[in-house]
Amino acid sequence: MQNDDLKISVLSSGSAGNVTYIETPQHKVLLDAGLSGKKIADLMKSINRDINDVDSLLVTHEHSDHRQSVGVLARKYDLNVYANEGTWAAMDGKIGKMPADKMNIFPADTVMDFGDLDIESFAVSHDAAEPQFYVFHHNNRSFVVLTDVGYVSDHIEGVIKNADGYLLECNHDVEMLQNGEYSWPLKQRILGDRGHLSNVDGANAMLDVIGDRTKKVFLGHRSQHNNLKSLAHLTVASILSDHDLGVGHDFNLFDTDVANASSLIVV
Ligand SMILES: [Zn+2]
Ligand SMILES: [Zn+2]
């Protein structure tokens, strides 16, 4: 008998590559393809799934850590690919020739019905052409992916509030970034309203959106240069516990990695 779960594995997350796998009884979906096709196929194997069974690929924005193998995967595995018009235009010339019948428009701030999976898009402030992230709804469960965002607006908070699970950005430690080797303009870009959320920003966003339904939060899009897995985890856990939210009691925090998939969990 088939169960009716919404399952997630964060296959890869970090400033060097991003891919998330979403599964329902009817669908096997990838969100972003920011690594080589070979690496993504291997990560799928590591969670006992076959990339040949994936039906759809959604793209958040055209930065290479999200779209590297979009064209390769679409051609090789016959995937239906979804992105908004601005992202398609910005990917043009970077992903090879896309089969026209595989290119689908997914406008911002809309819900698309995929049978047993509803997917909701929302626009974000980030320095790409038309960046958007997504909420996955199945069987009264919801999972939100939100990384690559300069700040979390009231509108976004309203859309993503009290989901069952999240992948939320904890990109950098502000002190490590400020004392690190990045150029001043790049530091300003990351810290700005169209850049990335720091560990503290990510924790504050969690305080605003998690609710009584929320049981699983993945910390994502960690910078290789300006953050550490343990630092991101400790920073977030201590801010949440300062607000009487018990990590390990009320809900669980999961680390993510650019090179290793998280285990496939039920949301
Ligand atoms: Zn990114
Ligand atoms: Zn980006």
Side-chain angles (χ1 to χ4, degrees), residues 127 172 177-178 180-196 226:
D127 53 1
H172 55 277
L177 176 67
Q178 281 171 340
E181 288 175 354
Y182 280 11
S183 67
W184 175 245
L186 183 52
K187 289 178 183 176
Q188 290 302 102
R189 187 217 137 204
I190 293 167
L191 291 166
D193 275 356
R194 302 183 70 214
H196 292 277
N226 303 307

Side-chain angles (χ1 to χ4, degrees), residues 56-217:
S56 307
L57 166 63
L58 285 87
V59 185
T60 59
H61 64 298
E62 74 278 13
H63 290 162
S64 63
D65 59 318
H66 298 262
R67 64 103 184 106
Q68 185 185 330
S69 62
V70 166
V72 172
L73 294 189
R75 292 185 290 273
K76 190 164 179 190
Y77 301 108
D78 204 28
L79 303 184
N80 292 307
V81 185
Y82 295 82
N84 63 34
E85 284 191 62
T87 299
W88 276 121
M91 289 195 293
D92 192 28
K94 295 174 178 159
I95 56 172
K97 196 164 163 42
M98 275 293 299
D101 63 331
K102 294 292 169 189
M103 293 174 69
N104 302 279
I105 305 286
F106 199 139
D109 302 302
T110 52
V111 180
M112 285 180 76
D113 179 347
F114 291 79
D116 74 349
L117 177 66
D118 282 348
I119 305 179
E120 184 175 7
S121 62
F122 56 96
V124 303
S125 161
H126 182 56
D127 53 1
E130 196 184 344
Q132 68 185 15
F133 280 82
Y134 300 91
V135 188
F136 298 86
H137 300 273
H138 167 72
N139 192 25
N140 202 29
R141 297 278 168 163
S142 58
F143 186 79
V144 172
V145 178
L146 176 58
T147 63
D148 301 76
V149 62
Y151 75 104
V152 182
S153 66
D154 291 347
H155 171 70
I156 294 176
E157 270 180 38
V159 173
I160 70 174
K161 229 176 170 63
N162 200 14
D164 297 279
Y166 292 91
L167 168 58
L168 281 177
E169 172 159 55
C170 292
N171 179 258
H172 55 277
D173 175 75
V174 173
E175 210 168 315
M176 281 182 76
L177 176 67
Q178 281 171 340
N179 295 330
E181 288 175 354
Y182 280 11
S183 67
W184 175 245
L186 183 52
K187 289 178 183 176
Q188 290 302 102
R189 187 217 137 204
I190 293 167
L191 291 166
D193 275 356
R194 302 183 70 214
H196 292 277
L197 297 182
S198 69
N199 296 335
V200 172
D201 295 334
N204 285 328
M206 284 171 216
L207 287 173
D208 290 333
V209 299
I210 59 181
D212 53 358
R213 293 189 65 103
T214 309
K215 297 294 173 227
K216 285 155 187 165
V217 181

